[in-house]
Amino acid sequence: MRSVFEAILYLLVSGCQWRMLPKDFPKWQSVYKFFRKWRNDGRIELFIEKTIMRIRKKHGQNDIPVAGALDSQSVRWGNRMSDNGFDANKKVKSMKRSIVVDRNGFIVGRRVDNASHHDSKLAWLVCEDTSFFWPTLRKILVDRGYRGDVADKVKKDFNIDIEVSNTPNGTKGFSPKPLRWVVERTFAWLDTFRRLARNYEQTDEAAEEMIDFATIKLLINHI
C-alpha cells in the first residue's frame, strides 16, 4: 500500500502519464485502481480532515477552523477529452479550480468546474462541499469577484459570512490583505506539482482527487 501511495505522489509531482510510472512501483493498473477506490470510499477526505486537525492543534490553534479564504484559479487544458470551458476574463481555456483554505493555507474545501462559470456562481457550490466537512466554518474572505447575491445565499443556507476584502482607498501598489494572501500562496504551492500545472484529467472528480493528494503531500511536510 505504501508503494501504491508513493506511486501516486510520484505521478503528481513529476506529471508523467499513468502508463509511464517507473517499474520500481506496482503496475500502473493497480495504482490507478486504488486511486479510484480511495476516491470513492472517502478515505482521502477523512485523512485530510484528521491531519489538518492534528497540525492545527500542534500549532496551538483550535483543531477546527472557523474562518477561511476562498479564491479560484483557471488552469489551461492538457487533455482534449476533458470538459474544457473558456474563462473570458483570464482568457484561459480549460477548467477552474476553487479552493477554501484555513489560516495556515491548508485546503479545507475544493471544487473543479468548467472555466466558463463565473466565480460567484461557484462560490455556493464550494461552500456547500466545505460546510459538509467543516460545519464550524463561519467566515470566508473573498475578493471583489464574489460580490452579489451569493453572499446572502451562502449565509442563509450554510450560516457562513462572505466578506469581501477590499484594498483601502489611497493604497498604491501591492498590499497583502490579512488571510486573503494565504490562498494565493496555496495556489503557488499547487503550481509546484507538474500534474496540476495543466488539466490532464478527463473528469472533474479525478482533478479534485489530484488536488487532495497534493494537499496530503503538503500536510506531510508540516508533520
Side-chain angles (χ1 to χ4, degrees):
M1 289 297 96
R2 176 169 178 170
S3 296
V4 171
F5 179 74
E6 291 176 345
I8 297 175
L9 293 185
Y10 179 90
L11 180 139
L12 178 66
V13 174
S14 66
C16 70
Q17 299 176 352
W18 287 101
R19 290 173 174 79
M20 296 183 66
L21 283 172
K23 298 186 180 300
D24 297 339
F25 295 116
K27 293 183 178 180
W28 74 267
Q29 295 93 333
S30 299
V31 177
Y32 185 73
K33 171 186 174 182
F34 282 100
F35 174 79
R36 295 193 60 184
K37 181 178 183 298
W38 293 338
R39 181 180 72 200
N40 295 331
D41 63 13
R43 291 176 183 265
I44 300 301
E45 290 84 354
L46 180 61
F47 179 83
I48 292 175
E49 178 184 354
K50 298 300 182 182
T51 307
I52 289 179
M53 294 173 65
R54 174 183 174 184
I55 297 176
R56 288 178 59 90
K57 190 173 182 179
K58 178 181 177 182
H59 290 173
Q61 306 168 3
N62 294 329
D63 55 351
I64 48 180
V66 296
L70 165 65
D71 205 352
S72 65
Q73 179 187 45
S74 295
V75 183
R76 297 183 183 278
W77 60 271
N79 185 350
R80 294 179 180 273
M81 292 180 288
S82 61
D83 182 19
N84 295 314
F86 182 75
D87 188 339
N89 184 32
K90 299 180 181 178
K91 304 298 188 292
V92 173
K93 179 181 180 181
S94 186
M95 61 85 166
K96 181 179 293 185
R97 61 170 71 114
S98 302
I99 63 172
V100 178
V101 302
D102 69 349
R103 60 185 295 185
N104 304 298
F106 303 147
I107 300 177
V108 296
R110 83 289 181 269
R111 187 177 180 90
V112 173
D113 291 274
N114 193 292
S116 60
H117 298 157
H118 192 269
D119 293 351
S120 61
K121 301 295 183 181
L122 303 177
W124 189 93
L125 296 174
V126 69
C127 286
E128 179 186 28
D129 296 341
T130 307
S131 63
F132 178 79
F133 293 100
W134 303 97
T136 59
L137 204 62
R138 289 295 173 263
K139 178 185 290 187
I140 294 181
L141 274 66
V142 297
D143 59 20
R144 299 178 182 179
Y146 294 90
R147 292 177 297 180
D149 299 335
V150 63
D152 296 332
K153 294 181 62 178
V154 171
K155 176 64 176 179
K156 176 182 177 182
D157 296 337
F158 313 117
N159 196 25
I160 298 176
D161 293 319
I162 298 295
E163 180 178 318
V164 179
S165 180
N166 293 322
T167 302
N169 295 330
T171 303
K172 296 183 179 180
F174 174 73
S175 177
K177 306 175 185 63
L179 188 60
R180 270 283 304 131
W181 68 272
V182 177
V183 67
E184 301 294 348
R185 184 185 64 178
T186 302
F187 280 131
W189 288 345
L190 295 180
D191 287 340
T192 62
F193 299 95
R194 292 188 177 182
R195 187 80 182 191
L196 298 179
R198 288 178 177 267
N199 180 33
Y200 295 103
E201 315 308 324
Q202 295 187 20
T203 64
D204 294 340
E205 291 76 13
E208 292 173 350
E209 191 69 5
M210 283 297 174
I211 297 176
D212 289 341
F213 274 96
T215 301
I216 291 176
K217 182 66 169 61
L218 295 173
L219 291 174
I220 290 175
N221 296 336
H222 287 79
I223 296 178

